Amino acid sequence: MPNTPVMDGLIRRTVQRQLPWSVHVDLTYRCNERCIHCYLDHEDHGEMKTQEIKNVLEQLAQTGTLFLTFSGGEIFLRADLFELLEFARSLHFDISLKTNALLIDSERARKLRELSVRKVQISIYSAEPDVHDAITKVRGSLERTLAAIRFLQAEGLQVKIACPLMKQNLTAYRNVQALAAELGVPYVLDMTITPKMDGDMSLLQLRSSTKELLPILQDASLNPRACSPSSLEGETISMGSATSSGIESQAYEDIPCSAGHNSCYISPYGDVFPCVQMPVATGNLRKQTFEDIWFRSEEMNRVRAVRESQLPICSKCSIRQYCERCPGLAQMEGGDLLGAYERACELAELNARIAGVANPVSAMHAEKSNSKNSRSIPAPTVAPEVRIGSN
């Protein structure tokens, strides 16, 4: 959604008043694909029932939520999905869906249009079936997903392609670009591969190195810094969005992102987190009300209190403007919500170099280098006749 002066004003008010205007709800972790980079446990450990979710939606509406995203797992595995969508629309939410679309046919596309779903985001990893299907581990998944996109378009629904990039599909971004152009839909490339929600770091081995990402970041059609760096001074350019609500705004000045300020994430089990990428549990909706969690949770308020200018390392970084640091990944990968972490620093240095900065060094790397150099300097030998403090 494009940012406008009106939208920016709305965002500013929601941040100031701490209104959860954008909420991401995972209806299930069950899925009919087994994507190699997925961070979820696909077993059902007791997901919320229909009435429980309806109760949560009523609470969100009462607390000020406007934008609602239903995701998973695969949302179409919920037999009650359309019942939940109808109920959500009765509460006047603006609804977006995230799905692999394997279960969308012409009839379901028509129902989504009748319920005025605003946007459907669908992951496509390559326009080549062998590459896409190898990532989803479902043969024929690309063909079925593309058929679903055409069903949705026939109903006039807004479709967006999301393409997470990893080693297995790094060179596919060009054909995804071409596919999006052919279909006439927007797309986003996402270089973020995250640890699993249980803290397992094994998925990080799927990440492409910064050297491998260089050709993509140098592509002016994808990265505006590669086109006119002088006009981007002070701005943060992202392939996706660095903001958990999905909308960039000056209203987020001096706060790391929208998480906990005007957006949050709810798991299928009723757990509330500031963001799906921030594993800081703030409460559970089976035990507490959303209002109580949102406004009074100690953990939520701790996240909300963080300011960019107070970050011990990042606030001193000379290339901070080129960084897309995620506080959730700082917690998961670096162990500190307030800290720097390797991946963000590497990408910041790469972005800064592309923008024309000579020899960019992040504050974390500079600090490590200074510490290493100080340890490598041998202690001076002091001759007895000039010992400090002798009479």
Side-chain angles (χ1 to χ4, degrees):
M1 178 180 295
N3 192 11
T4 65
V6 172
M7 182 64 71
D8 192 71
L10 286 171
I11 294 172
R12 195 172 299 279
R13 284 194 288 275
T14 61
V15 170
Q16 291 170 347
R17 297 173 60 187
Q18 297 177 359
L19 296 178
W21 86 324
S22 178
V23 177
H24 174 159
V25 181
D26 274 352
L27 296 177
T28 182
Y29 286 158
R30 292 176 288 127
C31 195
N32 50 358
E33 292 183 335
R34 284 296 180 269
C35 297
I36 60 175
H37 63 292
C38 187
Y39 51 84
L40 300 174
D41 173 0
H42 294 303
E43 296 299 318
D44 180 358
H45 298 286
E47 61 194 33
M48 290 186 287
K49 306 300 182 185
T50 306
Q51 191 53 49
E52 288 181 291
I53 295 175
K54 286 183 176 181
N55 182 44
V56 169
L57 296 179
E58 287 181 326
Q59 292 182 57
L60 294 178
Q62 292 166 3
T63 315
T65 301
L66 172 60
F67 297 104
L68 182 68
T69 298
F70 280 151
S71 184
E74 177 44 53
I75 55 176
F76 282 91
L77 290 178
R78 291 273 318 205
D80 59 357
L81 175 62
F82 285 101
E83 181 180 350
L84 293 173
L85 286 172
E86 185 174 0
F87 187 76
R89 287 297 298 135
S90 74
L91 296 172
H92 307 294
F93 291 114
D94 176 290
I95 301 174
S96 296
L97 306 180
K98 293 185 178 183
T99 172
N100 59 40
L102 294 188
L103 298 175
I104 295 179
D105 56 17
S106 59
E107 178 63 18
R108 285 178 167 172
R110 181 185 61 79
K111 288 182 179 179
L112 294 179
R113 187 257 303 161
E114 290 175 349
L115 289 167
S116 299
V117 168
R118 181 172 61 84
K119 181 177 68 176
V120 183
Q121 179 170 303
I122 299 171
S123 293
I124 290 183
Y125 305 101
S126 172
E128 299 175 14
D130 289 348
V131 176
H132 177 95
D133 296 356
I135 290 174
T136 66
K137 295 186 178 180
V138 175
R139 182 173 295 180
S141 56
L142 177 61
E143 182 180 354
R144 292 166 61 186
T145 294
L146 291 177
I149 289 176
R150 293 185 173 94
F151 288 136
L152 294 167
Q153 289 182 309
E155 295 295 335
L157 285 159
Q158 179 184 341
V159 176
K160 183 177 184 179
I161 290 175
C163 179
L165 291 175
M166 62 200 93
K167 289 181 180 295
Q168 288 75 2
N169 72 334
L170 187 62
T171 60
Y173 76 96
R174 285 288 193 192
N175 64 42
V176 172
Q177 272 185 304
L179 177 63
E182 177 188 335
L183 294 170
V185 300
Y187 70 99
V188 58
L189 299 179
D190 189 352
M191 297 183 293
T192 306
I193 301 297
T194 70
K196 292 185 179 181
M197 291 190 78
D198 62 5
D200 183 341
M201 298 289 172
S202 61
L203 295 181
L204 300 189
Q205 66 186 350
L206 301 177
R207 281 178 174 171
S208 300
S209 68
T210 51
K211 181 179 180 180
E212 291 169 324
L213 291 173
L214 182 59
I216 299 175
L217 291 173
Q218 287 178 321
D219 188 332
S221 69
L222 300 173
N223 186 0
R225 283 199 184 100
C227 183
S228 56
S230 62
S231 65
L232 299 167
E233 186 70 24
E235 294 186 21
T236 298
I237 303 301
S238 177
M239 305 289 257
S241 174
T243 310
S244 53
S245 67
I247 306 173
E248 303 288 353
S249 171
Q250 290 301 312
Y252 299 122
E253 184 179 0
D254 204 31
I255 62 178
C257 69
S258 64
H261 292 272
N262 63 4
S263 68
C264 68
Y265 164 71
I266 299 173
S267 82
Y269 311 120
D271 297 308
V272 180
F273 300 84
C275 172
V276 68
Q277 289 182 182
M278 190 180 293
V280 179
T282 64
N284 185 278
L285 293 166
R286 284 171 160 162
K287 302 173 183 178
Q288 305 154 269
T289 66
F290 178 80
E291 182 178 356
D292 190 47
I293 296 170
W294 177 258
F295 288 110
R296 289 176 280 279
S297 161
E298 288 185 10
E299 286 301 313
M300 189 71 81
N301 283 320
R302 180 173 74 89
V303 170
R304 197 174 284 147
V306 175
R307 291 294 179 269
E308 287 277 306
S309 56
Q310 297 170 349
L311 298 178
I313 296 176
C314 300
S315 64
K316 300 179 290 185
C317 189
S318 62
I319 58 170
R320 182 69 183 95
Q321 68 199 69
Y322 302 101
C323 183
E324 294 167 14
R325 174 189 179 275
C326 167
L329 294 181
Q331 176 74 49
M332 283 197 283
E333 297 184 35
D336 185 357
L337 189 69
L338 305 180
Y341 60 102
E342 187 63 30
R343 181 67 167 186
C345 293
E346 289 178 353
L347 287 173
E349 290 171 353
L350 187 58
N351 272 321
R353 193 172 296 112
I354 291 170
V357 178
N359 302 316
V361 179
S362 70
M364 184 181 77
H365 288 163
E367 190 173 281
K368 286 183 177 180
S369 178
N370 290 337
S371 176
K372 181 179 179 180
N373 290 338
S374 65
R375 288 196 301 271
S376 65
I377 298 174
T381 300
V382 181
E385 65 268 28
V386 292
R387 285 172 53 195
I388 296 174
S390 61
N391 293 323

